[in-house]
Amino acid sequence: MSKKFWISIALASVMIVTAACGAKTESETNASTNAPNTGGEAEKSYTVAISQIVEHPSLDATREGFIAALKDAGLEEGKNLTIDFNNAQGDATNIKTISQKIGNGKSDLALGIATPTAQALADDVKDIPVLFAAVTDPIDAGIVTQLEAPGGNITGASDTNPAAITQTMDFIASQFPNTKNVGLIINEGEQNAVVMGKIAEEALAKHDIKLIKASVANSSDVKQAADSLVGRVDAIYITLDNMVVTGADAIIEVANANKIPFFSADRDTVEKGAFAAVGFKYYDHGYEVGQMAVEILKNGKNPGEMNVTVPQKLDFIFNMKAAAEQGITVTDEMKAFVKDPANNIIE
């Protein structure tokens, strides 16, 4: 992970509240797009273009939260808002075609959900504001050069706080003390997965635990990769790797059949059948970015002056049924890691 990102994470953590809900300046309050309709002038309508790398629960929840924030601020589809949703279906050619289409179009704002789509929008969309969500390291990915007031026409929210990965690896080491090897199923062509994998590897190394990678080139490879780890690892972990998360059902099948604890980096995969993660709700993540969009569209804020945000409300999330399937005895000591058991221990 880039050194700039590590430094910026600390700064951004302090400035989250300011970025998300800072007080409006006089010029923002008087912005023309937010002025009262006193002269019979038609209400302003907006078009927001969304480029999403693939459809899966975390990314879909991000999009839903984003649109909900717009609606709560009075921007509603079918009334004064048009959503131009584009699903790249995990294809690099589609990603580029979509970003070029948006760049040549007439949208008022563009949103890239996931690192590759955000990178493409950053390259091809220069004349309108651009936001990103579900991006692990926007600095290393070349989307922005800093998290605080990144400049240009782009800002957004990272979906990774490195502490979440470290906490997961530390939990494995402390609560599964016989663990010698952890398997990582990874698409090494996805930058966010590589960054997160490196953090996990470094965290495990401090406990003398080895990370064993099983690489995939597409989602159909996930089952074979999971099978290849059986007998070689004591636990399986996946990052916020869009291709791998799409194939999470296959990992759950292998983990359950072979009694291998399965850890993920997102809540949605735990709800599906992974045992545990340190994470947050992607709907809330998307909602936060939607609030940024409202500030830009209605209040005239400059995205380059808005801080990139990172997740703050991290918690352990357990799936108790998955624990039983994977041969895990969930102790009281384990449960004590969960700050909000009512919402984050899934029975």
Side-chain angles (χ1 to χ4, degrees):
M1 173 171 286
S2 65
K3 290 182 180 178
K4 286 185 178 179
F5 185 69
W6 280 104
I7 295 169
S8 298
I9 282 285
L11 293 172
S13 298
V14 176
M15 298 178 181
I16 290 294
V17 175
T18 301
C21 56
K24 298 173 185 174
T25 65
E26 182 178 355
S27 61
E28 290 165 355
T29 302
N30 294 328
S32 61
T33 55
N34 200 36
N37 183 10
T38 58
E41 184 180 345
E43 180 184 12
K44 181 172 176 59
S45 295
Y46 301 89
T47 298
V48 173
I50 299 176
S51 179
Q52 183 171 317
I53 187 171
V54 70
E55 289 187 290
H56 70 60
S58 294
L59 301 187
D60 293 343
T62 300
R63 185 179 76 251
E64 291 162 5
F66 176 83
I67 294 171
L70 296 179
K71 183 177 180 180
D72 288 348
L75 303 180
E76 186 173 356
E77 286 185 272
K79 293 183 178 180
N80 57 358
L81 176 66
T82 299
I83 297 290
D84 174 22
F85 174 61
N86 302 270
N87 175 16
Q89 299 178 333
D91 183 88
T93 301
N94 289 345
I95 292 170
K96 190 66 175 176
T97 299
I98 291 167
S99 66
Q100 290 175 338
K101 182 197 82 168
I102 294 172
N104 293 326
K106 296 183 179 180
S107 298
D108 297 290
L109 180 143
L111 169 68
I113 301 178
T115 299
T117 50
Q119 287 173 314
L121 291 178
D123 288 340
D124 295 326
V125 181
K126 302 297 184 182
D127 297 329
I128 62 171
V130 175
L131 292 173
F132 59 80
V135 170
T136 297
D137 185 345
I139 294 175
D140 196 59
I143 299 169
V144 296
T145 58
Q146 60 188 38
L147 300 189
E148 182 184 355
N153 67 323
I154 187 165
T155 189
S158 168
D159 63 354
T160 298
N161 186 326
I165 306 169
T166 302
Q167 286 175 23
T168 302
M169 300 307 115
D170 290 347
F171 177 84
I172 293 172
S174 67
Q175 301 303 310
F176 297 83
N178 295 324
T179 299
K180 301 298 181 185
N181 300 296
V182 172
L184 174 67
I185 301 171
I186 182 172
N187 168 23
E188 296 194 85
E190 190 164 328
Q191 181 64 25
N192 67 312
V194 173
V195 169
M196 294 182 71
K198 183 177 180 182
I199 298 170
E201 186 171 24
E202 291 173 351
L204 288 172
K206 294 178 181 179
H207 301 285
D208 294 322
I209 299 173
K210 185 178 180 181
L211 187 75
I212 297 178
K213 296 178 183 178
S215 297
V216 299
N218 54 65
S219 56
S220 63
D221 294 338
V222 172
K223 174 68 162 59
Q224 182 178 354
D227 284 333
S228 75
L229 294 172
V230 176
R232 302 168 58 210
V233 302
D234 306 296
I236 295 173
Y237 174 65
I238 64 171
T239 69
L240 302 173
D241 185 326
N242 296 296
M243 183 180 292
V244 175
V245 171
T246 302
D249 287 339
I251 306 172
I252 293 165
E253 179 184 336
V254 172
N256 291 352
N258 294 278
K259 305 300 180 188
I260 302 173
F262 173 28
F263 297 84
S264 70
D266 68 296
R267 180 188 184 93
D268 296 295
T269 302
V270 174
E271 291 181 350
K272 267 189 170 185
F275 162 53
V278 176
F280 55 92
K281 292 184 178 180
Y282 268 84
Y283 181 93
D284 295 340
H285 173 68
Y287 195 96
E288 179 180 297
V289 182
Q291 290 176 314
M292 299 174 83
V294 170
E295 289 296 309
I296 293 167
L297 294 173
K298 296 191 72 175
N299 298 326
K301 275 203 171 183
N302 178 351
E305 296 175 356
M306 301 173 71
N307 297 336
V308 176
T309 64
V310 296
Q312 297 298 302
K313 296 180 180 179
L314 298 175
D315 197 4
F316 278 83
I317 306 151
F318 293 163
N319 183 325
M320 301 302 284
K321 182 178 178 182
E325 293 280 358
Q326 293 161 26
I328 301 165
T329 299
V330 181
T331 64
D332 289 341
E333 184 179 355
M334 289 182 184
K335 290 180 180 179
F337 281 82
V338 183
K339 300 172 188 174
D340 182 8
N343 289 308
N344 292 331
I345 295 182
I346 302 166
E347 298 292 345

